[in-house]
Amino acid sequence: MMRIPRPTTSLVSRIPAVKPTSSILRKGYASSSSHTLSPASVVTTLPNKIRVATEAVPGHFHAVGVYVDAGSRFESQRTSGISHLLDRLAFKSTNKHSDEEMTRLIDSLGSQVTCSSSRETIMYQSTVFPESLPLALELISSTIRHPLLLPEEILAQKEAASYEIREIWNKPELILPEIFHTIAFQNNTLGMPLLCPESQLPRLGEQEVRGFMSDWYRPERIVVAGIGMPHEELVQLSQRFFGDIPATSTSTSTSTSSTLHTSSQQQQPLGSKSFATVSNVTAPSDYNDLVDAKAVYTGGEYYIEKPEDQLVHLHIGFEGLGIHDPDIYALATLQTLLGGGGSFSAGGPGKGMYTRLYTKVLNQHYSVDYCAGFHHCYADSGLFGIAASVYPQFAPRIVDVMAGQLHALTGQMFGGIEQKEFMRAKNMLKSTLVMALESKLTAVEDLGRQVQIHGHKVPVEEMCAKIDELTLEDLWRTANRVLRPASSSSRLNYGLGSGKATIVAQGPNLKALGDVKRTLKDRWGLGL
């Protein structure tokens, strides 16, 4: 399942690291290490460096997932789109099961088994009854470790991906956040497209997929996480299905796919469009170039003139904070405070109707169809800003409206943040975090991603405590760090970013927007 970014905030799975409360050596794994993270969370490191994490949440079913530290940020121009293709190829034929057998076994579990890719992880997840846990993990292990990647399966998934790509490109609410990333981080890491470029489909085949997996599916980059089962049970199952993966040697040379079967390259394409694979004899490795590559925020502008569109869509944003930045809670609170959404929302209190973008924009300007704050947070950078969709007659005014709302976050002023809305935003953010973890599938993803990023789980109570500690001064200072980097005493995220705004727009008569960058900088003092 493809994951397209949405303009929401997520601190779950993305919270600053804290030290574990204690550590113990678990019996039976002399070469392994374990940490008791909280009364309910435990992590064990297998001898080959795969980490196994569990959280003791009672219930009638378990959630389990395998999380690989891979994704589109680890792709190069040569391998762009591999992650998208990989998640479509999951749970097909393996050395143990045919495609039909895999489908039948998944159906027998009584629940879904899914794979999804994002910029920083590829995850395989399932919710199962306790007695089905071994089968679920065996199927996940089989598709990760022993996929056959048959020619007909690859070509069928290319056809499906091509249709998916075209559909998403026709939906501004889905594709513009993607384009926004590619403009914000041009030609590097987080700017590599999550959605496979259609021009890449003929270039990707079995050798490229196996080469990518050889590079990034290394045991030290894999976390097995579970919710509900005894810790020792998941450790034993992980040892059984993943424990024989050889530990990565420090002297491991760059991988090639010269030993892979190449017969699949002779397959004829499906349908009228040619997706015949153009593949090298060997697939060179990008690991050494990308494993430590830091995100470099560039900023920039991109305009898509579409006279047939009924609305003008505009995204304005700036470089946000990496997950380890201590101000990440303040930035998430700012996004919650902005809130917003569509011009029509059924329901009453609790749906964010008192957020700033509802009260100050949607309720004030009938020509605004959609307006919401967004916050994308990654390991070493992020994006923060506002997205809006308006009727064309309002296009000349929307830039000032959006910029004014961002400016109001930066200090004490008329129309700025009030204490009551500040407290409301903190409570909304805390409730969002706590209620999200009521879902076991969300909870297991949170556990797996936290262990992947930090090496341990940060309790939600600690996250809420850090949110409670925030002051208005913290929000003002953080807003200035992000929106006015020229006046900040320290540059964001290693000082690599340009500090410029990122602007992406689509719709009719975009000239009506005026010079967006100049308006932001000269009139509102936003960006460099």
Side-chain angles (χ1 to χ4, degrees):
M1 180 178 65
M2 190 63 185
R3 288 202 166 189
I4 297 297
R6 295 180 297 275
T8 59
T9 183
S10 175
L11 276 181
V12 176
S13 304
R14 300 191 171 283
I15 46 184
V18 296
K19 294 182 179 179
T21 55
S22 62
S23 63
I24 57 174
L25 181 65
R26 300 197 66 83
K27 296 180 181 179
Y29 291 92
S31 299
S32 304
S33 62
S34 299
H35 299 285
T36 299
L37 310 174
S38 69
S41 301
V42 183
V43 175
T44 293
T45 302
L46 301 181
N48 64 355
K49 304 302 182 184
I50 285 179
R51 288 163 291 176
V52 183
T54 62
E55 196 167 68
V57 177
H60 296 292
F61 63 94
H62 299 333
V64 66
V66 176
Y67 303 86
V68 185
D69 191 6
S72 62
R73 76 166 293 162
F74 301 105
E75 295 172 358
S76 63
Q77 296 297 330
R78 178 182 62 84
T79 60
S80 181
I82 284 281
S83 299
H84 184 184
L85 189 59
L86 254 176
D87 76 40
R88 298 205 62 90
L89 287 167
F91 304 107
K92 305 301 179 185
S93 301
T94 71
N95 67 341
K96 290 185 178 180
H97 308 294
S98 66
D99 184 23
E100 293 77 11
E101 289 172 343
M102 184 70 78
T103 300
R104 178 176 55 80
L105 289 170
I106 290 174
D107 287 343
S108 74
L109 292 174
S111 66
Q112 288 188 336
V113 181
T114 63
C115 174
S116 59
S117 62
S118 65
R119 284 186 158 77
E120 294 186 318
T121 191
I122 297 176
M123 59 188 80
Y124 303 79
Q125 300 182 126
S126 180
T127 53
V128 294
F129 291 113
E131 62 270 18
S132 299
L133 179 62
L135 175 58
L137 206 57
E138 188 272 329
L139 295 178
I140 292 174
S141 169
S142 185
T143 202
I144 289 175
R145 302 190 58 194
H146 307 294
L148 292 185
L149 302 177
L150 298 177
E152 59 271 22
E153 292 176 347
I154 292 176
L155 290 167
Q157 292 312 310
K158 286 184 179 183
E159 285 284 347
S162 178
Y163 174 79
E164 180 182 32
I165 293 164
R166 293 193 301 271
E167 285 295 298
I168 290 174
W169 270 94
N170 287 326
K171 293 178 170 60
E173 69 276 12
L174 295 180
I175 196 59
L176 291 186
E178 262 297 285
I179 296 173
F180 195 86
H181 278 77
T182 64
I183 300 303
F185 301 91
Q186 293 178 33
N187 300 316
N188 77 95
T189 57
L190 298 173
M192 296 302 295
L194 182 59
L195 191 68
C196 179
E198 197 163 11
S199 61
Q200 277 287 103
L201 288 173
R203 303 172 185 170
L204 302 178
E206 178 188 355
Q207 292 179 350
E208 287 72 25
V209 172
R210 291 196 187 277
F212 184 85
M213 296 180 76
S214 177
D215 269 350
W216 304 106
Y217 281 52
R218 304 183 181 209
E220 70 274 15
R221 303 179 70 87
I222 295 175
V223 173
V224 182
I227 298 290
M229 69 287 293
H231 181 72
E232 290 297 343
E233 179 183 4
L234 190 60
V235 170
Q236 291 169 8
L237 289 172
S238 300
Q239 181 69 35
R240 173 180 167 189
F241 293 119
F242 297 97
D244 60 331
I245 300 177
T248 302
S249 169
T250 56
S251 60
T252 300
S253 60
T254 56
S255 63
T256 67
S257 58
S258 58
T259 59
L260 299 176
H261 299 293
T262 59
S263 59
S264 63
Q265 310 309 320
Q266 306 304 317
Q267 177 70 25
Q268 294 299 314
L270 298 176
S272 59
K273 182 175 288 189
S274 174
F275 289 133
T277 300
V278 179
S279 185
N280 298 323
V281 176
T282 62
S285 171
D286 297 312
Y287 183 84
N288 291 335
D289 293 332
L290 296 176
V291 65
D292 295 319
K294 292 181 173 62
V296 179
Y297 175 86
T298 59
E301 299 176 77
Y302 191 76
Y303 298 91
I304 307 170
E305 190 77 35
K306 284 201 170 184
E308 67 274 17
D309 283 5
Q310 294 184 343
L311 297 173
V312 172
H313 308 276
L314 177 63
H315 289 235
I316 296 174
F318 301 83
E319 183 175 19
L321 305 176
I323 188 56
H324 300 289
D325 194 294
D327 283 333
I328 193 65
Y329 293 98
L331 191 60
T333 303
L334 284 168
Q335 188 273 338
T336 304
L337 186 142
L338 285 173
S343 58
F344 174 80
S345 177
K351 296 208 64 178
M353 302 300 287
Y354 283 95
T355 58
R356 290 188 67 86
L357 296 183
Y358 262 118
T359 59
K360 307 291 186 182
V361 179
L362 288 159
N363 290 350
Q364 301 288 334
H365 306 287
Y366 70 90
S367 292
V368 179
D369 184 70
Y370 173 88
C371 188
F374 61 82
H375 174 212
H376 302 290
C377 178
Y378 302 102
D380 55 353
S381 188
L383 293 170
F384 177 82
I386 297 176
S389 298
V390 303
Y391 288 96
Q393 66 268 22
F394 196 75
R397 296 183 59 193
I398 187 58
V399 177
D400 279 314
V401 169
M402 295 167 71
Q405 290 304 310
L406 292 172
H407 167 74
L409 305 177
T410 59
Q412 192 171 8
M413 66 183 74
F414 178 78
I417 303 172
E418 298 179 6
Q419 183 67 28
K420 63 180 181 181
E421 62 178 334
F422 169 54
M423 298 304 297
R424 185 187 296 126
K426 293 205 293 184
N427 286 332
M428 287 179 63
L429 179 57
K430 289 188 296 181
S431 67
T432 299
L433 294 175
V434 173
M435 287 191 289
L437 294 175
E438 291 294 310
S439 162
K440 283 193 175 180
L441 203 57
T442 301
V444 75
E445 179 181 340
D446 174 50
L447 177 62
R449 291 289 290 128
Q450 284 202 50
V451 172
Q452 191 177 60
I453 294 169
H454 308 309
H456 54 267
K457 168 71 180 290
V458 180
V460 70
E461 295 83 2
E462 184 167 333
M463 290 188 278
C464 290
K466 289 185 178 293
I467 295 168
D468 281 332
E469 293 170 0
L470 293 172
T471 66
L472 268 173
E473 288 74 15
D474 292 326
L475 266 63
W476 293 331
R477 174 177 46 78
T478 302
N480 279 285
R481 288 186 65 198
V482 171
L483 303 174
R484 291 174 170 168
S487 62
S488 177
S489 59
S490 61
R491 299 296 295 274
L492 300 179
N493 306 324
Y494 314 105
L496 298 175
S498 68
K500 299 178 181 179
T502 299
I503 302 153
V504 172
Q506 175 180 310
N509 191 25
L510 295 183
K511 290 182 180 179
L513 294 171
D515 190 333
V516 180
K517 182 178 179 181
R518 175 170 292 182
T519 299
L520 294 173
K521 187 176 185 300
D522 294 349
R523 191 175 302 173
W524 298 97
L526 301 173
L528 291 179

